[in-house]
């Protein structure tokens, strides 16, 4: 392959579990000439990002910023900063990302209490209430939009239960962020992490996070050092909000330019319009897929608008059809994970990829392939 050819990958239509397609304005922002990461101009970019993240999360939290690494690093940031060895943590698990949180909790030296639900179902608050009678966790954590199964988790009741038990409420909003409503303050979420490459439609590699005053108090009262140097909020927070910004690490300047532009696009569209668009395109896809013989994995009231988990019709060649979609139509969709591998597809309609054209392109390609 020549150097030229290697640079020019084909323009894919991204309809998997992320990344999603990116607006040309965001691509252009990434090509902005670099500035130093402590340059006054760049500090303005960081301030813009903070303000727009607060708006998108509907929060006044001062400690709201983007971790310089993908969503999993946001997850780790929340857990390593809030947990100390010997603490208890209650993690709700109904898919891959609840399992990942559980793994991190154990690596923190904390005692893990799991509340499980079958993959494809939401967490039953009654089970959390029951579990809370036999433990006193420092935090209760749950995934808002479980990308491995397509389940949307209602948060308000779980938040109340966590606070009644004296625990912090921690939420994975990687896939829900900018695709469905998140009222961080009203729902009393204490720590939240998200990602850029899903419904925000920025390149992967950053993780917006936000912490309530209650969470900061827990951080301030730690008896032990945070075990991760890079993710230690007591240091990072001085980089993002100190009166005098000091060097902590070199911020990924180009990714931040892109993040600012993507957030700007969200503000221009308006949050509510964006949520409605995600829902409408999900409905359009749902009708088309029904005609082709696909059933949804998840009950209607818990379905994600941005990630459609559909059960494959009998006899459909999972890998073969996905390969043809990619090679002949440039369309990427996701396969199932874990026990659901080979049984479901995960079709993303996230951010820029949530459009009528995306839906119609996929349905037309599927009709042709499936004959
Ligand atoms: C994608 C995703 C993550 C991990 O984000 P990365 O950017 O891949 O590290 C975490 N949680 C959920 C729900 C996700 O969908």
């Amino acid at each position: 392959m020549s150097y030229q050819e290697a640079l020019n990958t084909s323009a894919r239509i991204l309809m998997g579990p992320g990344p999603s397609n990116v607006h040309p304005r965001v691509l252009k922002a990434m090509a902005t000439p670099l500035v130093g990461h402590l340059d006054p101009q760049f500090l303005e970019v960081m301030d813009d990002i903070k303000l727009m993240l607060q708006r998108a999360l509907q929060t006044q939290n001062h400690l709201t910023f983007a971790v310089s690494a993908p969503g999993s690093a946001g997850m780790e940031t929340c857990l390593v900063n809030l947990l100390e060895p010997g603490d208890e943590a209650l993690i709700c698990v109904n898919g891959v990302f609840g399992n990942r949180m559980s793994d991190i909790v154990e690596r923190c030296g904390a005692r893990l209490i799991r509340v499980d639900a079958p993959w494809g179902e939401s967490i039953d608050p009654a089970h959390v209430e029951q579990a809370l009678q036999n433990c006193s966790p420092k935090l209760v954590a749950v995934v808002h939009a479980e990308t491995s199964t397509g389940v949307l988790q209602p948060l308000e009741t779980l938040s109340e239960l966590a606070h009644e038990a004296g625990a912090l409420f921690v939420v994975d909003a990687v896939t829900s962020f900018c695709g469905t409503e998140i009222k961080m303050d009203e729902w009393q979420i204490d720590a939240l992490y998200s990602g850029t490459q899903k419904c925000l439609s920025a390149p992967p590699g950053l993780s917006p996070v936000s912490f309530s005053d209650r969470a900061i108090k827990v951080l301030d009262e730690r008896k032990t050092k945070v075990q991760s140097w890079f993710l230690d909020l007591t240091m990072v927070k001085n980089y993002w909000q100190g009166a005098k910004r000091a060097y902590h690490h070199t911020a990924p300047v180009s990714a931040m330019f892109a993040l600012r532009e993507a957030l700007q696009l969200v503000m221009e569209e308006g949050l509510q319009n964006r949520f409605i668009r995600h829902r409408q395109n999900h409905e359009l896809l749902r009708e088309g897929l029904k005609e082709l013989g696909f059933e949804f994995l998840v009950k209607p009231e818990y379905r994600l608008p941005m990630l459609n988990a559909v059960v494959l019709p009998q006899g459909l060649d999972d890998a073969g059809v996905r390969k043809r979609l990619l090679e002949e139509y440039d369309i990427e969709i996701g396969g199932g994970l874990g026990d659901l591998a080979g049984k479901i597809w995960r079709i993303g309609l996230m951010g820029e990829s949530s459009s009528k054209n995306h839906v119609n392109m996929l349905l037309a390609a599927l009709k042709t392939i499936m004959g």
Side-chain angles (χ1 to χ4, degrees), residues 50-358:
K50 177 177 168 179
L51 193 71
M52 289 191 283
L53 287 178
Q54 287 172 323
R55 284 191 191 143
L57 291 168
Q58 307 189 50
T59 183
Q60 308 280 335
N61 289 342
H62 294 296
L63 191 55
T64 300
F65 67 98
V67 175
S68 300
S72 304
M75 181 189 288
E76 198 140 18
T77 299
C78 289
L79 297 172
V80 300
N81 280 280
L82 298 176
L83 293 174
E84 293 187 68
D87 286 340
E88 293 182 334
L90 189 154
I91 309 294
C92 301
V93 183
N94 58 347
V96 166
F97 295 102
N99 270 332
R100 189 172 295 182
M101 283 203 273
S102 304
D103 189 359
I104 297 173
V105 163
E106 291 183 327
R107 287 163 195 252
C108 292
R111 192 169 89 80
L112 170 70
I113 298 125
R114 279 173 72 118
V115 172
D116 280 83
W119 286 32
E121 291 180 24
S122 63
I123 300 290
D124 183 348
H127 294 167
V128 174
E129 194 171 11
Q130 216 168 21
L132 284 170
Q133 280 164 8
N134 304 312
C135 61
S136 47
K138 200 161 175 197
L139 60 84
V140 172
V142 69
V143 179
H144 190 201
E146 193 27 280
T147 323
S148 60
T149 62
V151 170
L152 179 69
Q153 178 69 44
L155 297 177
E156 286 166 273
T157 311
L158 291 181
S159 176
E160 277 168 28
L161 289 171
H163 291 124
E164 277 165 21
L168 297 172
F169 187 49
V170 177
V171 171
D172 175 322
V174 177
T175 284
S176 55
F177 182 53
C178 292
T180 191
E181 189 111 66
I182 301 172
K183 295 181 174 175
M184 179 140 192
D185 289 355
E186 193 178 315
W187 297 346
Q188 299 200 41
I189 301 168
D190 294 300
L192 174 149
Y193 59 92
S194 63
T196 47
Q197 77 274 27
K198 306 207 180 179
C199 295
L200 179 57
S201 276
L206 292 171
S207 176
V209 295
S210 184
F211 296 85
S212 72
D213 289 342
R214 234 186 328 233
I216 293 170
K217 187 159 175 284
V218 166
L219 181 68
D220 288 342
E221 288 172 356
R222 282 184 71 101
K223 294 184 189 69
T224 56
K225 262 191 175 179
V226 175
Q227 83 231 39
S228 162
W229 180 89
F230 185 67
L231 302 175
D232 183 346
L233 281 176
T234 57
M235 294 191 286
V236 178
K237 79 178 184 208
N238 297 328
Y239 182 58
W240 272 86
Q241 64 166 17
K244 238 180 124 218
R245 289 195 211 227
Y247 167 71
H248 176 261
H249 64 278
T250 310
V253 172
S254 304
M256 293 286 196
F257 282 137
L259 172 59
R260 179 174 67 167
E261 196 63 27
L263 284 165
Q264 185 61 43
L265 284 161
V266 173
M267 297 297 127
E268 287 170 22
E269 180 175 15
L271 282 177
Q272 293 307 323
N273 291 338
R274 197 175 181 90
F275 302 151
I276 291 167
R277 171 165 64 84
H278 277 85
R279 182 142 299 284
Q280 285 175 342
N281 288 320
H282 154 72
E283 284 163 7
L284 188 66
L285 178 70
R286 182 192 64 200
E287 293 315 304
L289 285 176
K290 255 196 220 155
E291 279 173 31
L292 289 170
F294 291 89
E295 303 271 353
F296 273 74
L297 177 72
V298 180
K299 284 199 209 119
E301 60 270 36
Y302 298 113
R303 273 179 209 161
L304 290 176
M306 70 289 284
L307 195 284
N308 300 271
V310 288
V311 180
L312 306 185
Q314 201 113 57
L316 187 109
D317 172 15
D318 170 29
V321 175
R322 281 192 290 124
K323 185 161 181 267
R324 284 191 64 190
L325 280 173
L326 191 67
E327 288 179 357
E328 294 171 29
Y329 298 90
D330 267 324
I331 298 176
E332 178 186 272
I333 61 168
L337 296 175
D339 286 348
L340 296 172
K343 298 188 183 134
I344 65 164
W345 279 346
R346 293 177 305 140
I347 303 171
L349 294 172
M350 300 182 177
E352 288 298 305
S353 295
S354 172
S355 82
K356 276 196 192 111
N357 280 343
H358 278 78

